[in-house]
Amino acid sequence: MSPRLARPADARHIAALEESFETGRWSEAAWAEEIASQRAHVVVEGDADAIPLGVAAFSVAGETCDLNRVVVAPVARRGGVALRLLLAGLAWADERGAVQMMLEVEDGNEPALALYQQLGFVTLARRSNYYGPGRDALVMALPLGEQG
C-alpha cells in the first residue's frame, strides 16, 4: 500500500482517526478545509475505497515545509504507515523547493520521536506546555535531501 492524496470524502474518516488523541483533535470541518486548501498537501494511507489507516498534512511557506499533522489508526501503528506518509510529504516538499521540514512533537511520544530521529530530524527547541500543562513540545527540523 502506498499513500494517496486525500479527497473531500475522506474528511469524515480522517476525523475519526483523531479519536485516539486525548486533546487537540481536528474536526471533520478542519480536515475538509485542509484537504481543500491550495497550500496544503494531505495524504492518506489506504486503498481508494477503504477507510484511511493514516493521514499526514503538510504545507510549504517559502523554503520551509511544516508537518502539520500525522495520525495513524491504533490498529495500524508500528506498521510503517507513518513512515510512508512522511516520505511522501518529504518528496512533495522537495519538489516545491523547500529546503527543510519542521514539526512539533510531544516530548515523551517515544514512537514518533524514534521515527523522526530515524529520518534525521534534530531537536531545535522546546515549547513548554504546548500541548497543555506539563506537556511540552519539541521543535524538530530536517534539511531536505538528507532523510535517512
Side-chain angles (χ1 to χ4, degrees):
M1 208 174 318
S2 62
R4 65 170 173 79
L5 283 175
R7 300 180 308 254
D10 292 321
R12 177 173 56 100
H13 301 296
I14 293 169
L17 290 174
E18 298 258 1
E19 291 176 11
S20 64
F21 285 8
E22 291 178 31
T23 60
R25 295 181 188 110
W26 285 14
S27 67
E28 180 179 341
W31 276 109
E33 184 176 323
E34 190 80 357
I35 291 167
S37 171
Q38 297 292 343
R39 288 189 47 239
H41 182 68
V42 181
V43 290
V44 296
E45 174 100 353
D47 295 329
D49 297 326
I51 294 172
L53 296 174
V55 61
F58 307 87
S59 61
V60 171
E63 295 184 336
T64 299
C65 178
D66 290 310
L67 170 58
N68 297 323
R69 196 75 157 177
V70 61
V71 185
V72 176
V75 297
R77 290 182 183 156
R78 301 251 198 227
V81 172
L83 175 61
R84 289 187 294 274
L85 293 167
L86 287 171
L87 291 174
L90 287 165
W92 174 81
D94 191 47
E95 290 170 6
R96 270 134 196 89
V99 298
Q100 73 173 342
M101 182 174 286
M102 296 190 69
L103 60 87
E104 290 94 6
V105 60
E106 187 169 355
D107 188 15
N109 183 343
E110 296 304 324
L113 286 167
L115 174 60
Y116 299 143
Q117 290 166 349
Q118 172 191 341
L119 288 168
F121 281 86
V122 295
T123 301
L124 301 178
R126 173 182 298 273
R127 292 186 175 156
S128 297
N129 303 314
Y130 186 82
Y131 293 104
R135 297 176 62 204
D136 295 352
L138 299 178
V139 179
M140 301 183 81
L142 173 70
L144 295 185
E146 298 182 19
Q147 53 273 18

